[in-house]
Amino acid sequence: MIFDSLQRSDSYRALHPRLGRAFDYVAATDLAALEPGRHDIEGDDLYVNVIECDLKQPADAKLEVHDRYIDLQVVVSGTERFGWSERADLRRPLGDFDEERDIRFFDDMPQTYYTLKPGQFSIFLPDDAHAPMVGEGRVKKLIVKIRR
């Protein structure tokens, strides 16, 4: 898991070829004007889900993991807390892995929490479990899905 400011995104471009293109898209786009829903950049290999939603209490935000995609999550408005744990430490699955949606949920408690504000991002690799959308109020965010 990585979290940082978009101003320092160049430091992370070398992690994956599509990650640089994802940061280029974020930098060139009026994020506040993006409508909720899916926006394709490179089809299923690289796309953005724009979400505007109410935030949850920590107990209601379950840890999730992905196999095929890296998540780049960018807060546009509001403040969002994330729970995080190493995937290898999870012991309480909430069902089987959903291959179609590339997701599995867990009922474990996150090891730690941290907060993102507008202009900051987080990268979740397949070894990272994350519990997003924790906090008070509403958030608008981008979830850039990057096929591994």
Side-chain angles (χ1 to χ4, degrees), residues 42-148:
E42 295 177 9
D44 288 337
D45 289 337
L46 182 63
Y47 62 92
V48 177
N49 284 324
V50 178
I51 297 173
E52 290 184 74
C53 65
D54 292 325
L55 296 172
K56 311 175 213 177
Q57 295 301 307
D60 298 324
K62 301 304 179 190
L63 287 163
E64 61 185 67
V65 297
H66 310 291
D67 285 347
R68 292 189 318 268
Y69 286 91
I70 297 166
D71 275 8
L72 167 63
Q73 299 202 18
V74 179
V75 174
V76 177
S77 64
T79 300
E80 180 179 8
R81 289 182 64 213
F82 289 82
W84 176 88
S85 289
E86 288 187 61
R87 184 178 187 161
D89 290 342
L90 301 179
R91 301 287 178 259
R92 299 174 60 192
L94 292 169
D96 295 329
F97 192 89
D98 184 331
E99 295 289 339
E100 184 177 324
R101 294 179 51 221
D102 187 43
I103 197 165
R104 186 176 194 186
F105 294 98
F106 290 83
D107 200 30
D108 299 69
M109 290 298 300
Q111 174 184 329
T112 192
Y113 285 90
Y114 65 95
T115 302
L116 290 183
K117 59 185 182 179
Q120 296 177 328
F121 69 89
S122 209
I123 297 171
F124 300 107
L125 302 169
D127 291 333
D128 296 312
H130 56 287
M133 297 184 274
V134 176
E136 300 290 331
R138 290 185 63 78
V139 69
K140 179 177 183 179
K141 66 188 276 186
L142 309 180
I143 303 171
V144 183
K145 302 298 280 187
I146 303 160
R147 190 188 303 265
R148 294 181 31 181

Side-chain angles (χ1 to χ4, degrees), residues 20-35:
R21 295 193 292 278
F23 281 125
D24 289 343
Y25 176 87
V26 170
T29 302
D30 179 357
L31 303 181
L34 274 179
E35 292 293 324

